[in-house]
Amino acid sequence: MEIWELLKEFFDAEIKKLKLKSYYFPLFITENVVQKKKDHFEGFAPEVAWVTKTGNSELEAPIAIRPTSETVMYPYFAKWIRSHRNLPLRCNQWCSVVRWECSNPIPLIRSREFLWQEGHTVFATKEESDEEVLHILELYRRIYEEFLAVPVSKGRKSEVEKFAGGLYTTSVEAFIPNTGRGIQAATSNCLGQNFAKMFEIFFEDENDPAQKKKEKNKRSLVWQNSWAYTTRSIGVMVMTHGDDKGLVLPPRVAPIQVMVIPDPLEDADMTAIKEVCETIVYTLSQAGIRADLDARENYTPEWKHSHWEMKGVPLRIEIDVKDLANKQVRVVRRDNGAKVDIPSTDLVEHVQVLLDRIQDSLFETAKQKRDACIEVVYTWDEFTAAVNDKKLILAPWCDEEEVEKDVRARTEGDLGSAKTLCAPFDQPDLVEGSDHVFFLRRR
Amino acid sequence: MEIWELLKEFFDAEIKKLKLKSYYFPLFITENVVQKKKDHFEGFAPEVAWVTKTGNSELEAPIAIRPTSETVMYPYFAKWIRSHRNLPLRCNQWCSVVRWECSNPIPLIRSREFLWQEGHTVFATKEESDEEVLHILELYRRIYEEFLAVPVSKGRKSEVEKFAGGLYTTSVEAFIPNTGRGIQAATSNCLGQNFAKMFEIFFEDENDPAQKKKEKNKRSLVWQNSWAYTTRSIGVMVMTHGDDKGLVLPPRVAPIQVMVIPDPLEDADMTAIKEVCETIVYTLSQAGIRADLDARENYTPEWKHSHWEMKGVPLRIEIDVKDLANKQVRVVRRDNGAKVDIPSTDLVEHVQVLLDRIQDSLFETAKQKRDACIEVVYTWDEFTAAVNDKKLILAPWCDEEEVEKDVRARTEGDLGSAKTLCAPFDQPDLVEGSDHVFFLRRR
């Protein structure tokens, strides 16, 4: 939760710069709405949890728990929006949603309830809508790359994989080399006017010639976006950086960035050491570094080292009598175990530099590993070989639904069929005139 | 939501000073747990919403949506806590809960889903537990009195009205003079060791003589607190300050504190006026005042005045050509309509002073109105007269369950029976040797 709060602090401030407002809409969706908006809701139907009973009474009609809030919010949008003066309308809510997955839940990655933010915005023109889609996608890239130190690819989903009922879906996609898993890290959807039609969201458009003449029933449909990222982002981070000792947290999202651990050698002046430790924590905290002291006397320093390594704290500072005499401290990096002695006087600057270095190094290492898994293929034989090899496949692609379904069918087997992740915006110049798409073996 | 976020910002920072950590526990409670903890859950049972179906399948056993999270969290506490070194354990979560009230829901005051924070803390000793109960209660008082400008009484709930299964409940109680309604504004509960028994939460206590001798099965039960306040706080504020023109927001929780509205008199130099308006908003914003400009050209100034009055904005700044020439602006208070012309040069200081004055004045006015409703009674006749008069009754009281139930029964009728609010900590010296309790007619 502390990591989630740090991500939230960044993202919320950024969207408030865009004049997004905070909202909270209900957890429940009445069956009435679900029935009316069947086309959209069908995609979620197998995963929806239904309340049928309260106290000891059966409800007259079951009530759905939101798997996402389009059907909750958009009937209100239709009431609130009358003219171009009500636009843009930009809402965001932080909440939990429920999707009753039938496959095995995995904490943070695929859980039946998860936390997310969902942004829902309404515009008069497609241009504004398009622009916001990319602006938000860039914020998602920053969350992953700048905060979680996880490399992601920005791109556009295929017609098969896009958000049900939307016009187009952009996404950031992550990849876990160890398991060969691709993970949709966040999506920013342009819904076009499809939901506006479904929910009858119209506005009087001053720029529409028909409306200028005050013709009746000549209102325009709005353009809409929706976009979300979830606590899955934390799961992706754990899988990307973790090692056999436990968590490895990038400094920017580590609730504790520096743990100070005194080493009580025999006959040591513990009071003096503790005082120094407290001063260090205070000095670092004053400089805006999240530091803490583990002064517990009933655990050995070795136990504490392992404990805080498991918790992923980026830097550990060890202090014993010798350090005290030499006016230095020993700093140990979590990511590579490197130890370095630093003069106490320059501590803040050194720690800051080290934290930055760890942040960069985690990202670079993860990027190198990810890039090493990318395999460019041109033929079907190369494709199937790469699928079996758990590679992140980059292939020329037509984006036709029938062809994607055919690829799925032809790769079915023990390893699961292949699916597209996205067509990266950063297109390689491999086959002229063709888009290239990331493909991945399904679990 | 913006008001809720402002309250949250204050409260979350305060509890983090107490080393409270943020958690998120699941929305769902399995029936298994509900059955095992029947004693506690029974109080909520009539209001619990049950999920019985996911997709098209019936669940094997129904799952409850949390009405409160004791039964969700405490099984984990029992696993996490082994020794005094794990204590205190202090969790807080911001979430929504569901209580399917059968009576008519009222937005913000009594809704079937509402937002709240719930703090759950565990201590080795009763002393620490008692101390925290009062510390949190004081934070609740500050939310109401210092932010929402709503006077509340701190006190202790009767045995009948206390939290089911707890040791004792303290609360802040608000009163709405217009309707004669008392409202439980927030509660801070000492759970004692009852839940520890129910959920088997033990710890090895270094101060327990039996444990020092390493006697088997001699672990101690922990002491627990739980405390919460909800979005109802915003409803109480609306009812306390609102008038026939709409909302009246206390400046400290107003998302917009100052709305600047240009007045385009005939032949006026609108460009110059707009520039001045923008400068004012910028200057106020730089000084930390939440200011905005309504520069829309398709609404009249009068329409805007009414609009922002309805929205409760504490101060309105009007600017026309004359003001421009005189280098002054007109400032209008939402709470009392008072208008004053202020030199543009001293604007920030004047606005800050005015906002503070409005905040104080709203509180003082509400307090006077509330105090005027308090009626001290000594006899049953006085009591029933005051009940029918919608007064906030202060009466000497024994706090015996049978007597409270008797009072309820004897006052039953068209107006609803009388119930206790709390025994205020600030006890009047009316009848020697007796506690005094606030009584109130039920709706």
Side-chain angles (χ1 to χ4, degrees):
Chain A
M1 275 310 289
E2 289 174 288
I3 296 173
W4 186 241
E5 284 182 349
L6 286 165
L7 295 179
K8 187 172 166 177
E9 193 180 40
F10 160 74
F11 190 78
D12 210 59
E14 287 295 325
I15 61 176
K16 279 182 177 155
K17 287 184 199 163
L18 300 175
K19 305 261 182 197
L20 259 289
K21 284 207 195 276
S22 296
Y23 280 77
Y24 185 77
F25 285 83
L27 175 68
F28 294 126
I29 309 169
T30 55
E31 210 204 11
N32 181 24
V33 175
V34 174
Q35 285 300 332
K36 267 167 64 184
K37 311 303 167 192
K38 243 183 178 169
D39 290 353
H40 161 66
F41 216 78
E42 244 169 25
F44 293 102
E47 300 174 0
V48 169
W50 293 94
V51 174
T52 63
K53 215 178 103 176
T54 62
N56 284 316
S57 324
E58 299 287 325
L59 288 174
E60 276 180 33
I63 291 170
I65 300 180
R66 64 179 165 224
T68 176
S69 298
E70 281 79 4
T71 49
V72 184
M73 295 183 179
Y74 297 176
Y76 289 94
F77 289 5
K79 287 181 193 173
W80 294 343
I81 295 167
R82 285 283 165 268
S83 87
H84 62 94
R85 293 190 291 269
N86 303 123
L87 299 175
L89 175 67
R90 302 174 128 184
C91 305
N92 183 65
Q93 76 180 13
W94 296 90
C95 63
S96 80
V97 289
V98 172
R99 297 182 187 176
W100 208 269
E101 302 267 359
C102 297
S103 48
N104 278 343
I106 303 169
L108 292 172
I109 295 293
R110 186 186 294 275
S111 50
R112 287 173 174 170
E113 182 196 3
F114 55 87
L115 299 177
W116 76 351
Q117 64 60 228
E118 49 180 323
H120 294 268
T121 54
V122 190
F123 300 94
T125 64
K126 182 166 190 296
E127 289 67 37
E128 292 167 277
S129 171
D130 286 337
E131 191 190 331
E132 190 203 61
V133 164
L134 294 184
H135 190 117
I136 298 296
L137 193 67
E138 170 62 10
L139 293 179
Y140 290 151
R141 185 198 66 76
R142 290 182 61 193
I143 284 177
Y144 275 91
E145 299 202 332
E146 296 179 9
F147 285 78
L148 301 169
V150 172
V152 289
S153 299
K154 281 193 203 178
R156 186 168 162 149
K157 303 292 270 188
S158 71
E159 285 301 303
V160 171
E161 294 288 341
K162 77 176 185 185
F163 183 71
L167 183 60
Y168 64 87
T169 292
T170 67
S171 68
V172 283
E173 302 281 340
F175 181 77
I176 312 295
N178 292 349
T179 61
R181 288 187 64 168
I183 298 185
Q184 176 176 298
T187 56
S188 180
N189 303 301
C190 176
L191 302 179
Q193 298 179 309
N194 298 340
F195 283 80
K197 272 178 215 145
M198 217 187 297
F199 290 90
E200 301 177 358
I201 315 177
F202 294 100
F203 73 107
E204 283 161 22
D205 184 354
E206 56 175 356
N207 295 318
D208 183 333
Q211 293 188 18
K212 275 190 185 154
K213 286 185 235 146
K214 299 273 177 200
E215 289 181 30
K216 261 191 184 171
N217 303 321
K218 281 288 180 186
R219 295 170 306 156
S220 305
L221 287 165
V222 299
W223 292 86
Q224 291 181 272
N225 294 342
S226 74
W227 28 269
Y229 81 99
T230 79
T231 35
R232 173 185 281 187
S233 54
I234 299 172
V236 175
M237 176 204 71
V238 171
M239 292 209 292
T240 301
H241 306 302
D243 62 20
D244 290 348
K245 290 180 180 172
L247 270 180
V248 178
L249 295 179
R252 285 190 78 176
V253 296
I256 301 173
Q257 297 174 311
V258 181
M259 180 55 75
V260 179
I261 299 173
D263 190 350
L265 295 177
E266 269 175 49
D267 306 325
D269 178 358
M270 274 311 288
T271 317
I273 292 185
K274 256 199 190 167
E275 259 174 34
V276 171
C277 287
E278 279 162 11
T279 308
I280 289 176
V281 170
Y282 179 79
T283 311
L284 292 174
S285 302
Q286 288 300 101
I289 294 165
R290 297 187 287 273
D292 207 345
L293 168 64
D294 187 348
R296 292 177 289 179
E297 285 171 16
N298 48 311
Y299 293 105
T300 65
E302 291 70 28
W303 187 94
K304 291 180 190 173
H305 296 172
S306 303
H307 179 73
W308 295 111
E309 280 174 354
M310 186 178 70
K311 297 270 189 185
V313 174
L315 277 184
R316 166 173 95 230
I317 294 184
E318 304 173 0
I319 299 180
D320 64 19
V321 208
K322 278 177 297 172
D323 297 325
L324 210 60
N326 298 334
K327 290 194 191 291
Q328 66 175 29
V329 300
R330 166 153 293 189
V331 182
V332 184
R333 279 171 66 158
R334 170 66 180 90
D335 62 330
N336 62 10
K339 299 179 180 187
V340 53
D341 292 328
I342 289 176
S344 311
T345 43
D346 302 335
L347 194 61
V348 168
E349 299 92 288
H350 274 94
V351 164
Q352 196 56 67
V353 167
L354 276 171
L355 291 174
D356 290 347
R357 253 186 228 159
I358 295 172
Q359 184 80 32
D360 294 346
S361 162
L362 285 174
F363 177 72
E364 284 307 324
T365 307
K367 191 165 183 308
Q368 278 168 25
K369 279 191 196 163
R370 196 269 316 257
D371 290 349
C373 295
I374 298 177
E375 192 148 318
V376 182
V377 307
Y378 300 95
T379 68
W380 183 251
D381 284 347
E382 287 172 349
F383 185 81
T384 49
V387 165
N388 290 330
D389 233 16
K390 301 186 184 176
K391 293 292 184 183
L392 182 56
I393 299 164
L394 189 59
W397 177 245
C398 57
D399 195 2
E400 285 175 21
E401 289 196 35
E402 284 313 306
V403 180
E404 180 156 5
K405 284 176 185 161
D406 183 46
V407 170
R408 274 194 194 175
R410 287 166 69 186
T411 51
E412 243 168 30
D414 289 351
L415 294 168
S417 52
K419 70 167 189 173
T420 58
L421 293 182
C422 72
F425 292 152
D426 190 9
Q427 280 285 326
D429 191 20
L430 302 173
V431 176
E432 213 176 316
S434 170
D435 268 0
H436 292 70
V437 164
F438 278 127
F439 261 94
L440 191 91
R441 180 178 67 86
R442 269 172 187 277
R443 274 184 317 144
Chain B
M1 276 311 289
E2 288 174 287
I3 296 172
W4 186 241
E5 285 182 349
L6 286 165
L7 296 179
K8 188 172 164 176
E9 193 179 40
F10 161 74
F11 190 79
D12 210 59
E14 287 294 326
I15 61 175
K16 279 182 176 154
K17 287 184 199 163
L18 300 176
K19 305 260 181 197
L20 259 290
K21 284 206 194 278
S22 295
Y23 281 76
Y24 186 76
F25 284 84
L27 174 68
F28 294 125
I29 309 169
T30 56
E31 210 204 11
N32 179 26
V33 175
V34 174
Q35 285 301 333
K36 268 165 66 183
K37 312 303 166 191
K38 243 180 176 169
D39 290 355
H40 160 66
F41 216 79
E42 243 169 26
F44 292 102
E47 299 175 0
V48 169
W50 293 95
V51 174
T52 64
K53 216 177 101 175
T54 62
N56 284 316
S57 325
E58 299 288 326
L59 287 174
E60 277 182 32
I63 291 171
I65 299 180
R66 63 180 166 223
T68 175
S69 299
E70 281 78 3
T71 50
V72 185
M73 295 183 179
Y74 297 177
Y76 288 94
F77 289 6
K79 286 181 194 173
W80 295 343
I81 295 168
R82 286 284 164 267
S83 87
H84 63 93
R85 293 190 291 267
N86 304 123
L87 299 176
L89 174 68
R90 301 174 129 184
C91 305
N92 183 67
Q93 77 179 13
W94 297 90
C95 62
S96 80
V97 290
V98 171
R99 296 181 187 177
W100 209 268
E101 303 266 359
C102 296
S103 48
N104 278 343
I106 302 168
L108 291 173
I109 295 294
R110 187 185 293 274
S111 49
R112 287 175 174 168
E113 182 196 3
F114 56 85
L115 300 178
W116 76 352
Q117 64 62 226
E118 49 181 324
H120 295 268
T121 52
V122 190
F123 299 95
T125 64
K126 183 167 188 300
E127 289 67 38
E128 292 166 277
S129 170
D130 286 338
E131 192 190 332
E132 191 203 61
V133 164
L134 294 183
H135 190 117
I136 298 296
L137 193 67
E138 171 63 10
L139 292 180
Y140 290 150
R141 184 198 67 75
R142 290 181 61 193
I143 284 177
Y144 275 92
E145 300 202 333
E146 296 179 9
F147 284 79
L148 301 169
V150 171
V152 289
S153 300
K154 282 194 206 177
R156 186 170 163 146
K157 304 292 270 189
S158 71
E159 285 301 304
V160 172
E161 296 286 343
K162 76 175 184 186
F163 183 72
L167 182 62
Y168 64 87
T169 293
T170 68
S171 68
V172 283
E173 303 281 340
F175 182 77
I176 311 295
N178 292 351
T179 60
R181 288 186 65 170
I183 299 186
Q184 177 177 296
T187 55
S188 180
N189 303 300
C190 175
L191 303 179
Q193 298 180 309
N194 299 341
F195 283 79
K197 271 179 216 143
M198 217 186 295
F199 290 88
E200 301 179 357
I201 315 177
F202 294 100
F203 72 106
E204 283 161 22
D205 184 354
E206 55 176 356
N207 296 318
D208 184 331
Q211 291 188 20
K212 275 190 186 154
K213 286 184 235 146
K214 300 277 177 195
E215 287 181 31
K216 263 193 183 169
N217 304 319
K218 279 290 182 185
R219 294 170 307 158
S220 305
L221 287 165
V222 299
W223 291 87
Q224 290 180 271
N225 293 342
S226 73
W227 29 270
Y229 83 99
T230 79
T231 35
R232 172 184 281 185
S233 54
I234 298 172
V236 174
M237 175 205 72
V238 171
M239 293 208 291
T240 301
H241 306 302
D243 62 20
D244 290 348
K245 290 180 180 172
L247 270 181
V248 177
L249 295 179
R252 286 190 77 176
V253 296
I256 300 172
Q257 297 173 313
V258 181
M259 181 55 75
V260 179
I261 298 174
D263 190 349
L265 293 178
E266 269 173 49
D267 306 324
D269 177 357
M270 272 312 286
T271 317
I273 293 185
K274 256 198 191 169
E275 260 172 35
V276 171
C277 288
E278 279 162 12
T279 309
I280 289 176
V281 170
Y282 179 80
T283 312
L284 293 174
S285 301
Q286 288 299 102
I289 294 164
R290 296 186 287 272
D292 208 345
L293 168 63
D294 187 348
R296 292 177 290 179
E297 285 171 14
N298 48 310
Y299 293 105
T300 65
E302 292 70 27
W303 187 93
K304 291 180 190 175
H305 296 172
S306 304
H307 179 73
W308 295 111
E309 281 174 352
M310 187 179 69
K311 298 270 189 185
V313 174
L315 278 184
R316 166 173 94 229
I317 293 184
E318 304 172 1
I319 298 181
D320 64 18
V321 208
K322 279 178 296 174
D323 297 324
L324 211 57
N326 298 333
K327 289 193 193 288
Q328 64 175 30
V329 300
R330 166 153 292 189
V331 182
V332 185
R333 279 172 66 158
R334 169 65 180 92
D335 62 329
N336 61 10
K339 298 178 182 187
V340 54
D341 293 327
I342 289 177
S344 310
T345 42
D346 303 334
L347 193 61
V348 168
E349 299 90 288
H350 274 96
V351 165
Q352 195 57 67
V353 167
L354 276 171
L355 290 175
D356 289 348
R357 252 187 230 157
I358 295 172
Q359 183 79 32
D360 294 346
S361 164
L362 285 174
F363 177 73
E364 283 307 324
T365 307
K367 190 166 185 308
Q368 278 167 26
K369 280 192 196 162
R370 196 269 318 255
D371 289 350
C373 295
I374 297 176
E375 192 146 322
V376 181
V377 307
Y378 300 95
T379 69
W380 184 252
D381 284 348
E382 288 171 350
F383 185 82
T384 49
V387 166
N388 289 330
D389 233 16
K390 300 186 187 179
K391 293 292 185 185
L392 180 58
I393 299 164
L394 189 58
W397 177 247
C398 58
D399 195 5
E400 284 174 21
E401 288 196 36
E402 284 314 305
V403 181
E404 181 155 6
K405 284 175 186 163
D406 184 47
V407 170
R408 275 193 193 176
R410 287 165 69 185
T411 51
E412 243 167 31
D414 288 350
L415 294 169
S417 53
K419 69 167 189 172
T420 58
L421 293 182
C422 72
F425 292 153
D426 189 11
Q427 280 285 325
D429 191 20
L430 301 173
V431 175
E432 211 175 318
S434 171
D435 268 0
H436 292 70
V437 165
F438 279 126
F439 261 94
L440 190 91
R441 178 180 67 86
R442 267 172 190 277
R443 273 184 319 143

